[in-house]
Amino acid sequence: MKLFVYHTPELTPTDRLPDCAIAVDVLRATTTMATALHAGAHSVQFFSDINKLMQVSEGWPSEKRLRAGERGGSKVEGCDLGNSPLDCTPERVKDCRLFISTTNGTRALQRIEAVPVVLAAALVNTQAVVRYLLENNPETLWIVGSGWEGSFSLEDTVCAGAIAHQLLAASGAKLDDLTGNDELIDALALYRYWKDDLLQLMRHASHGKRLLRLNGEADLEYCAKMDVLDVVPIQSEPSVLVKKA
């Protein structure tokens, strides 16, 4: 397995695709998606265009759909939810399709939706995703961070490093055997430095600071937790994620 890390969707190669790709938006889209599927949501459909989300979701019964929209950290007017994973309780999401559009995370997923296997990862479900990778052993793997409006983000990079760290520990592979690009080493170093205080890293992160200004301390604390969900969101059709059986 060769693992490549890309800090933003814009940095991914345009002339090839990997066997498997993972979208990461720790704050907060992929954390929210994993939490919703773990809580019993039927599926998650992602959009970069909020107007298209509204149009497509009209085709679902109102009692079986939830519209989640976020721009700049805040809920979009007319949506049921913003982008807080804490809103995705079993009582609210069970058997519903979550139609979601966010500032960054849904763009990352749309960039990789043509890849044969597409997963969504965050710190909360890293171990479950690593277990899937070890069982299926894709030859080439991309981890695509969402970043923030085209720029690097600490939280997505540290999650990429967590995935690489767990893959190395579980497989016994040598670092050079796994490494596809220099960004992987960068991500791994960041995770190993901060792995015992991920919440503090989140507080240093620019998007973490945005959330704190929006009274998002509870979200920040939840998103910084490691391996609390045993769920692998996997693409079942273009732009639709389901819980891997």
Side-chain angles (χ1 to χ4, degrees):
M1 186 189 306
K2 283 290 184 184
L3 174 52
F4 299 79
V5 172
Y6 299 101
H7 295 310
T8 69
E10 294 79 7
L11 294 173
T12 56
T14 57
D15 60 345
R16 62 187 182 277
L17 292 173
D19 299 301
C20 177
I22 304 171
V24 176
D25 185 8
V26 172
L27 296 176
R28 295 165 286 174
T30 55
T31 304
T32 297
M33 293 171 187
T35 302
L37 291 171
H38 186 265
H42 170 275
S43 52
V44 174
Q45 187 166 0
F46 51 87
F47 300 82
S48 56
D49 185 333
I50 192 71
N51 294 318
K52 187 174 181 182
L53 179 155
M54 294 296 188
Q55 179 184 1
V56 172
S57 61
E58 281 295 325
W60 276 66
S62 58
E63 70 276 10
K64 292 293 184 182
R65 73 174 181 232
L66 284 169
R67 293 162 167 160
E70 171 266 322
R71 290 295 183 271
S74 298
K75 177 183 170 183
V76 173
E77 185 177 354
C79 288
D80 305 296
L81 306 172
N83 189 21
S84 172
L86 300 180
D87 289 337
C88 297
T89 61
E91 296 77 16
R92 193 155 199 188
V93 306
K94 186 172 174 57
D95 298 328
C96 290
R97 173 168 286 194
L98 183 69
F99 295 86
I100 186 169
S101 179
T102 71
T103 306
N104 303 294
T106 48
R107 290 188 308 106
L109 280 159
Q110 288 201 318
R111 170 63 190 92
I112 61 174
E113 66 180 359
V115 173
V117 178
V118 174
L119 310 176
L123 293 172
V124 292
N125 71 327
T126 295
Q127 190 173 72
V129 168
V130 168
R131 188 164 58 246
Y132 173 90
L133 295 173
L134 291 169
E135 290 170 356
N136 292 273
N137 195 30
E139 186 174 340
T140 53
L141 171 64
W142 291 0
I143 301 179
V144 182
S146 299
W148 177 263
E149 297 183 343
S151 62
F152 170 92
S153 70
L154 286 170
E155 65 276 6
D156 295 343
T157 304
V158 84
C159 183
I163 293 170
H165 177 82
Q166 291 193 21
L167 279 172
L168 286 166
S171 67
K174 294 180 180 179
L175 179 58
D176 283 348
D177 294 335
L178 187 68
T179 301
N181 61 1
D182 286 356
E183 289 88 337
L184 173 66
I185 307 298
D186 164 54
L188 194 58
L190 184 68
Y191 173 72
R192 288 175 173 172
Y193 187 87
W194 285 100
K195 63 186 177 66
D196 296 322
D197 201 357
L198 291 169
L199 179 57
Q200 187 62 26
L201 175 67
M202 300 291 188
R203 292 193 175 112
H204 287 303
S206 58
H207 192 33
K209 292 176 180 177
R210 288 186 196 94
L211 279 180
L212 291 174
R213 289 195 294 270
L214 295 168
N215 299 314
E217 176 71 29
D219 273 8
L220 204 67
E221 290 178 0
Y222 177 77
C223 292
K225 292 181 178 179
M226 283 287 301
D227 301 326
V228 294
L229 302 181
D230 187 14
V231 62
V232 179
I234 188 168
Q235 185 170 256
S236 60
E237 59 183 278
S239 82
V240 176
L241 300 173
V242 298
K243 181 180 178 179
K244 177 73 175 68

